[in-house]
Amino acid sequence: MPKMKSNRAAMKRFKVTATGKVKRQKAGRSHLATGKSRKRKRQLRKPTLVHPYEEKRIKKLILA
């Protein structure tokens, strides 16, 4: 049986931390930035963790 392939799109979007949690970037920073406050844009820069509910599914995609 051949090896399982990881989902390349998911590999580019998610990283697994040392403790096993899944990290992601926040959405909403690519355009229409003039309508958003400076604080909101600054907070969108920071990475965040994937909700535990979704974690199992994403780990399956990236074979972690």
Side-chain angles (χ1 to χ4, degrees):
M1 183 139 183
K3 287 183 179 180
M4 291 288 289
K5 283 189 178 182
S6 58
N7 183 296
R8 300 314 290 171
M11 289 288 287
K12 292 169 189 172
R13 286 166 176 80
F14 304 104
K15 296 278 176 276
V16 179
T17 64
T19 55
K21 294 174 181 173
V22 183
K23 199 164 66 168
R24 68 170 176 87
Q25 285 297 323
K26 290 178 184 173
R29 222 174 81 89
S30 58
H31 64 114
L32 300 174
T34 52
K36 293 165 187 152
S37 70
R38 188 177 298 172
K39 180 183 177 182
R40 188 169 157 196
K41 286 183 283 192
R42 185 170 62 245
Q43 287 173 338
L44 287 172
R45 265 187 247 144
K46 298 175 187 172
T48 187
L49 296 175
V50 169
H51 196 275
Y53 176 77
E54 304 280 2
E55 216 171 79
K56 191 176 176 184
R57 199 162 51 104
I58 291 164
K59 281 184 176 180
K60 201 180 281 186
L61 286 174
I62 58 177
L63 301 177

